[in-house]
Amino acid sequence: MALQCGIVGLPNVGKSTLFNCLSNAKAQAANFPFCTIEPNVGVITVPDERLNKLAELVHPGRVVPTTVEIVDIAGLVKGASKGEGLGNKFLANIRETDAIIHVLRCFDDENVTHVDGTVDPVRDKEIIDMELQLKDLETIESRIQKVQKQAQTGGDKAAKQTYEVLVRYKEALEQGKSARTVQFESKDEQKIAHDLFLLTSKPVMYVCNVDEGSAVTGNKYVEQVREAVKEENAEILVVAAKTEADIAELETYEDRQMFLQEIGLEESGVNRLIKSAYKLLNLETFITAGEMEVKAWTYHKGWKAPQCAGVIHTDFEKGFIRAEVIKYEDYIKYGSEAAVREAGKLSVEGKDYVVQDGDIMHFRFNV
């Protein structure tokens, strides 16, 4: 399930520095625009303390965490929707991702130039929002031209419904609002909306890149961002990318933890970012645990047992009979699968069971 989060932002806000912390794939971090031209793709391990605790009980041959893909996309400039800078390439790269991590510069440093001369994260956010909205408006207007006549004169119900969805999006975009602010009730409308693949319909998380002294408490720039996005229902993360780069250079886990304690953080910004990106994509994890391996598997929140079985192998879904489920907390409490069974805490679930994050699953199937 190769789902991607795209890191976006204006040039020189810290995107590539952050990407380098997230991934072993080293993007060139340089003090000039467009140092990232081809999007760098990193496959990032999702931190999950539950796997380590299970491994202590099961003693498996290996532990296999789940992953998510992060894409570092070239910096956007004003006019990108009209092809300025690397505009068309930038917009095409965003379109291919499933969610957006929007990095905003929230630090002062006279040695790092700002493409617009001054530090103003709210202005920076609005520049990117506007460019994406303009591109979406272009897409919407093009589609309206194709279906308007059919929707208004013919008896084509699907065309009429599509037209209504397009008009609602057009109204929002013309008011400077992103497509994600428009909600549709019916499943038909939701499918039409999804199939438009609008840039501003993607879920977004704002990452405020701050100096080390602001890593715990934030600063005036972070507060400005919070105020600007309060109606968007978007998550905000405060990360000191340069500090995270220093942490990434440390060789041992103990050294990294000591560094974090010294600056007052319980967990690295990178770990928090990866976990948040996973949630942003509406993903959860179920686990299989045995002597060979303890493994995390990715599924979409709300999936039922047969769909999750299909994540392991398509045959598991085709021939699904039942799922044996142990809650993670019960496994830790009783210490083994046998003890969980004995305590009557293993449940047998059918095709309608909605899998929960952290469920330890064993699927029965017949092909």
Side-chain angles (χ1 to χ4, degrees):
M1 190 184 292
L3 292 177
Q4 293 185 337
C5 278
I7 300 182
V8 306
L10 292 178
N12 292 352
V13 297
K15 300 186 313 302
S16 295
T17 302
L18 194 60
F19 178 82
N20 289 344
C21 300
L22 289 166
S23 170
N24 290 328
K26 295 293 181 185
Q28 179 190 358
N31 182 23
F32 57 90
F34 311 134
C35 66
T36 310
I37 294 175
E38 293 302 324
N40 294 276
V41 181
V43 180
I44 316 297
T45 297
V46 179
D48 194 334
E49 295 79 8
R50 296 173 300 192
L51 299 180
N52 298 327
K53 290 185 178 177
L54 285 169
E56 288 171 12
L57 298 174
V58 179
H59 306 294
R62 60 179 183 165
V63 176
V64 184
T66 190
T67 60
V68 64
E69 288 188 3
I70 306 285
V71 187
D72 181 27
I73 297 169
L76 174 145
V77 294
K78 198 179 291 184
S81 59
K82 303 298 179 189
E84 290 293 324
L86 298 168
N88 292 330
K89 196 171 189 64
F90 171 94
L91 295 164
N93 290 335
I94 291 185
R95 202 177 295 282
E96 290 167 12
T97 64
D98 302 284
I100 295 171
I101 298 169
H102 189 160
V103 182
L104 296 166
R105 177 171 169 174
C106 295
F107 65 89
D108 292 306
D109 186 343
E110 60 187 27
N111 295 316
V112 181
T113 58
H114 190 289
V115 73
D116 280 328
T118 56
V119 176
D120 185 342
V122 175
R123 176 202 59 207
D124 295 353
K125 171 197 172 301
E126 287 171 353
I127 287 171
I128 287 195
D129 282 352
M130 185 177 69
E131 294 303 329
L132 299 185
Q133 288 164 8
L134 286 171
K135 199 66 184 175
D136 278 349
L137 191 55
E138 190 182 297
T139 301
I140 291 295
E141 287 174 342
S142 170
R143 291 295 300 271
I144 283 176
Q145 285 179 359
K146 291 177 183 174
V147 301
Q148 186 170 11
K149 192 174 179 183
Q150 200 177 354
Q152 292 177 338
T153 59
D156 191 330
K157 186 184 173 186
K160 189 172 186 297
Q161 210 165 27
T162 300
Y163 178 70
E164 287 167 359
V165 168
L166 291 168
V167 166
R168 282 192 59 193
Y169 271 143
K170 185 173 186 285
E171 289 170 354
L173 291 163
E174 285 177 338
Q175 292 168 23
K177 296 177 182 176
S178 293
R180 73 180 70 87
T181 63
V182 182
Q183 301 297 319
F184 296 101
E185 297 298 324
S186 77
K187 287 191 174 179
D188 286 345
E189 287 177 326
Q190 288 168 8
K191 185 177 187 316
I192 292 164
H194 175 268
D195 290 348
L196 291 169
F197 297 106
L198 297 178
L199 299 169
T200 63
S201 66
K202 297 176 188 295
V204 65
M205 171 170 56
Y206 296 101
V207 175
C208 294
N209 184 15
V210 299
D211 56 279
E212 184 176 314
S214 307
V216 177
T217 58
N219 57 27
K220 64 178 182 180
Y221 296 127
V222 174
E223 292 312 309
Q224 289 167 11
V225 173
R226 285 193 201 283
E227 181 64 24
V229 306
K230 64 183 180 184
E231 293 180 5
E232 288 190 36
N233 195 27
E235 187 171 355
I236 294 177
L237 272 185
V238 177
V239 174
K242 194 169 183 301
T243 305
E244 294 293 328
D246 293 339
I247 294 170
E249 293 296 320
L250 299 173
E251 290 187 8
T252 68
Y253 173 79
E254 289 72 21
D255 286 344
R256 290 192 288 272
Q257 290 304 111
M258 198 178 299
F259 191 119
L260 288 168
Q261 284 172 8
E262 283 175 9
I263 61 174
L265 289 173
E266 290 182 14
E267 186 177 26
S268 76
V270 163
N271 275 15
R272 287 184 288 116
L273 176 55
I274 297 168
K275 289 177 180 177
S276 296
Y278 197 67
K279 286 180 183 172
L280 191 66
L281 292 166
N282 205 29
L283 300 177
E284 291 184 335
T285 300
F286 72 85
I287 302 167
T288 53
E291 288 183 7
M292 281 183 63
E293 65 180 16
V294 167
K295 184 168 182 176
W297 301 86
T298 299
Y299 69 96
H300 283 281
K301 186 176 182 178
W303 274 14
K304 295 182 178 179
Q307 289 171 289
C308 288
V311 172
I312 299 176
H313 197 288
T314 51
D315 285 351
F316 284 28
E317 183 174 6
K318 287 176 190 169
F320 179 88
I321 300 172
R322 64 180 183 273
E324 295 174 357
V325 183
I326 301 173
K327 294 298 174 187
Y328 167 77
E329 293 76 12
D330 288 335
Y331 205 114
I332 297 300
K333 179 181 177 181
Y334 293 102
S336 71
E337 185 178 324
V340 170
R341 285 178 183 272
E342 205 170 299
K345 291 292 184 179
L346 182 147
S347 64
V348 177
E349 305 289 352
K351 291 182 177 180
D352 291 329
Y353 176 69
V354 177
V355 176
Q356 303 298 305
D357 186 55
D359 278 354
I360 297 161
M361 311 285 293
H362 182 72
F363 297 106
R364 302 288 182 183
F365 69 102
N366 182 33
V367 177

